[in-house]
Amino acid sequence: MTTATTAPEAPAPVGQVAGGNALAGTRTLIRFALRRDRIRLPVWILALLLGTLMTANSFSTLYSDPQDRANAARSMGSPAGLAMSGPRHYLDDYGFGSMLSHQMLGFMAVLVGLMSVLIITRHTRAEEETGRAELVRSTVVGRHAHLAAALSVAVLANLALALLLAFGLAGLGMEGIDTAGSLLYGFGHAAVGLVFAAVAAVTVQLTAHTRGASGMALAVVGVAYVLRAAGDSGENGTLSWLSPIGWVQRSYPYVDNRWWPLLLCLALAVACAAAGFALSTRRDVGAGLRPEKLGRPTASDALTTPLGFALRLHRGMLIGFGAGLFLMGAMYGSILGDAEDMLKDIDQIQEALDRIGGAGVAESFASMVMVVLTVVAAVYVVMAALRPRSEETAGRAEPLLATGLSRARWVGGHLAVAMGGGTVVLLLAGLGFGVAGAASTGDAGLLPDLVGAALAYAPALWVTVGVAVVLFGWFPRASQAAWIVPVYAFVVGYLGQILQFPGWMNNLSPFGHVPRLPAADMDWTPLLLLSLVAAGLVWLGLAGFRRRDLETK
């Protein structure tokens, strides 16, 4: 009796899953992504949730009287006010709910879009750029598993935010903020977040670089916001219908409670996600669809220096933040001429402006707005100051430091770009604010005043860089804690003025020691002290980096 034998089945080629399951391993990658983001995602979600709840709760204090809400509606009815907030229909019955949707939906949509874009790029393009995706795909993992896992994590994060917002707002028990409107408000955030996550699923296929993919997706977020602002400030609002942010705002939570605009967001999200999966089959792992530009046959002399090389790495982000802050300053400057009429009937804002002081409402309001512009500039300097950490963990720092390049010169190049670039973006913010403000008020003297007011915050930005360097040098795994500085500056420096936080809280922020130009008089002493503190922190951080081992993931 003989036994039949069969040849063993040949293994699937590397990167190809037996059976052709392109989604094999997705569940495992989802668990892995959630494990990696166990701190990052809760921080994002809780920050967005608490920011919304604090704002809603502040409305009950700022606009407790119906007449105050009516005055606020009249103030927000100008084209500039509508561009900064949302559609005019909210103003017909300006209760707490409609006020929250009108003033917060567009702003929050940008932040939710940022969170969603970063989730996708972190778990797709960043994995390919570091080589981890190729290693994982050599096992039983399908071609679409990484993108499917990233989109799944984005869906879970946005749904969690939606439910927390819905139940959190409904639990406040405020007049005009009911359960039905809160559910629509929360799921409106999820809908717009999924759109921008799907947009990122497309951009990660186009370029081989994480920053490029993030930049393109965030540019789409910016265009969507600009279209929404242009449409809402116009006569018929047509342009707003070209923006997913405009769609979400036109669901009118707490007013009409229309769910069907969210279906437009879901349809666009599905279409973009499908395009992302289709495009991923047309490229190799680690490559992008957009061909790389041929570089110069020889490197320029600048690239042979630490500063020139760092500037080349930071160039795209610096240009993006510079252009964004110039436009942001111009948007705020365009309403400077209407500031007195917009704010004259809002007692709490008037009290905050009175505490700032100044010759007029325009100068005091400009001082308050300058905090917002500076916080955005602080976001840039934190990202730039932490770039050495990402270079280190990606393994790109070790080959450079194996040459004659010292650690201090390598980090110093990045710090010079962070500090100098932060000053440049402040200058551009002040320039946009000043040009538009001078045009809206007819006061040409505002241009140099607002540029000077912006530059006065440069030493505070340098201190922010110093905090990031100390964390990078001595506590590298806690480097992300540097984000506390700009977040705290915004909460205390901007919202604290309106909600009347204790003065000692403002003193804990480097931005709280800067003279509130153009409303206040110039005082050089705190700026010099901040500069000395920044220099000391940078020295301390470099000393720590020289004494520790490199960490490569």
Side-chain angles (χ1 to χ4, degrees):
M1 182 175 179
T2 60
T3 303
T5 60
T6 59
E9 182 179 353
V14 173
Q16 179 178 329
V17 179
N21 186 1
L23 295 177
T26 301
R27 185 179 302 176
T28 301
L29 289 178
I30 292 173
R31 293 201 303 269
F32 179 59
L34 292 174
R35 175 72 174 79
R36 290 179 62 196
D37 286 351
R38 66 190 182 279
I39 296 176
R40 189 184 304 262
L41 283 182
V43 168
W44 262 108
I45 293 171
L46 287 177
L48 294 172
L49 173 66
L50 293 178
T52 301
L53 296 181
M54 288 175 59
T55 302
N57 193 55
S58 69
F59 286 158
S60 62
T61 303
L62 296 174
Y63 309 101
S64 57
D65 190 88
Q67 186 59 42
D68 293 335
R69 296 194 288 274
N71 293 335
R74 286 195 299 270
S75 300
M76 300 302 294
S78 66
L82 295 173
M84 298 295 295
S85 52
R88 186 182 298 274
H89 181 54
Y90 285 104
L91 305 178
D92 295 341
D93 183 13
Y94 216 44
F96 292 129
S98 57
M99 184 180 294
L100 178 68
S101 297
H102 186 230
Q103 298 186 23
M104 289 293 290
L105 259 181
F107 173 70
M108 288 288 291
V110 174
L111 296 180
V112 173
L114 174 61
M115 177 188 74
S116 301
V117 167
L118 294 180
I119 289 174
I120 300 300
T121 57
R122 172 175 167 80
H123 295 296
T124 55
R125 177 50 63 184
E127 294 296 290
E128 295 187 41
E129 192 173 6
T130 57
R132 290 190 292 263
E134 188 172 8
L135 180 63
V136 171
R137 288 190 182 187
S138 66
T139 63
V140 186
V141 172
R143 183 179 184 89
H144 294 321
H146 271 101
L147 182 55
L151 287 170
S152 299
V153 172
V155 170
L156 292 174
N158 281 283
L159 287 178
L161 175 63
L163 292 173
L164 289 172
L165 284 173
F167 291 113
L169 289 171
L172 291 177
M174 293 176 60
E175 179 186 355
I177 299 184
D178 55 10
T179 302
S182 297
L183 284 170
L184 178 56
Y185 183 88
F187 279 94
H189 288 68
V192 76
L194 294 181
V195 169
F196 294 125
V199 168
V202 174
T203 62
V204 295
Q205 316 303 331
L206 303 180
T207 177
H209 304 288
T210 306
R211 291 178 181 269
S214 300
M216 285 189 286
L218 293 178
V220 174
V221 176
V223 170
Y225 186 85
V226 170
L227 287 173
R228 193 281 312 160
D232 290 341
S233 61
E235 292 295 332
N236 51 21
T238 301
L239 288 176
S240 297
W241 286 103
L242 301 178
S243 166
I245 299 177
W247 300 343
V248 170
Q249 286 190 320
R250 277 158 177 75
S251 63
Y252 296 120
Y254 307 112
V255 180
D256 295 335
N257 288 343
R258 302 193 305 189
W259 285 85
W260 66 263
L262 302 192
L263 298 179
L264 298 177
C265 292
L266 294 180
L268 180 58
V270 170
C272 289
F277 282 112
L279 291 175
S280 68
T281 63
R282 295 177 170 269
R283 64 176 183 85
D284 294 329
V285 177
L289 291 174
R290 190 175 65 178
E292 295 285 340
K293 294 182 179 179
L294 294 178
R296 297 171 54 179
T298 58
S300 65
D301 293 337
L303 288 178
T304 63
T305 65
L307 177 59
F309 185 62
L311 184 60
R312 178 63 181 83
L313 293 178
H314 291 258
R315 182 178 63 183
M317 185 170 64
L318 179 58
I319 293 173
F321 269 90
L325 272 169
F326 180 85
L327 293 175
M328 188 176 179
M331 290 179 62
Y332 277 115
S334 66
I335 66 172
L336 202 55
D338 299 326
E340 186 169 0
D341 292 334
M342 291 175 59
L343 306 175
K344 65 181 180 180
D345 296 322
I346 305 177
D347 294 338
Q348 286 74 14
I349 300 293
Q350 284 293 331
E351 291 175 5
L353 296 177
D354 290 341
R355 286 193 298 272
I356 294 174
V361 173
E363 290 80 3
S364 300
F365 181 67
S367 299
M368 183 181 290
V369 168
M370 200 63 71
V371 175
V372 179
L373 298 176
T374 306
V375 167
V376 178
V379 171
Y380 162 77
V381 299
V382 171
M383 293 177 67
L386 294 182
R387 180 63 186 265
R389 175 61 179 167
S390 63
E391 295 291 303
E392 177 187 5
T393 56
R396 293 188 290 267
E398 192 170 3
L400 289 174
L401 297 177
T403 64
L405 179 63
S406 69
R407 291 191 176 196
R409 292 184 64 208
W410 175 67
V411 176
H414 289 280
L415 298 184
V417 175
M419 300 172 81
T423 306
V424 169
V425 298
L426 274 181
L427 173 63
L428 291 172
L431 187 61
F433 198 16
V435 169
S440 65
T441 61
D443 182 5
L446 275 179
L447 175 56
D449 290 345
L450 293 179
V451 171
L455 290 177
Y457 281 93
L461 288 187
W462 301 342
V463 172
T464 305
V465 173
V467 171
V469 177
V470 169
L471 292 171
F472 166 71
W474 291 94
F475 313 102
R477 297 190 178 183
S479 297
Q480 297 298 322
W483 287 106
I484 295 174
V485 179
V487 172
Y488 185 85
F490 176 76
V491 172
V492 176
Y494 181 68
L495 297 179
Q497 296 178 70
I498 301 173
L499 303 179
Q500 300 184 20
F501 287 179
W504 63 266
M505 295 183 66
N506 198 40
N507 292 332
L508 296 178
S509 169
F511 301 92
H513 299 277
V514 177
R516 303 300 299 272
L517 303 176
D521 295 329
M522 182 61 182
D523 186 0
W524 289 98
T525 302
L527 301 187
L528 292 175
L529 291 176
L530 287 172
S531 300
L532 291 175
V533 170
L537 290 173
V538 169
W539 177 85
L540 181 63
L542 291 176
F545 182 55
R546 285 195 295 264
R547 285 168 171 76
R548 70 171 176 83
D549 294 330
L550 292 179
E551 294 184 3
T552 303
K553 292 181 179 179

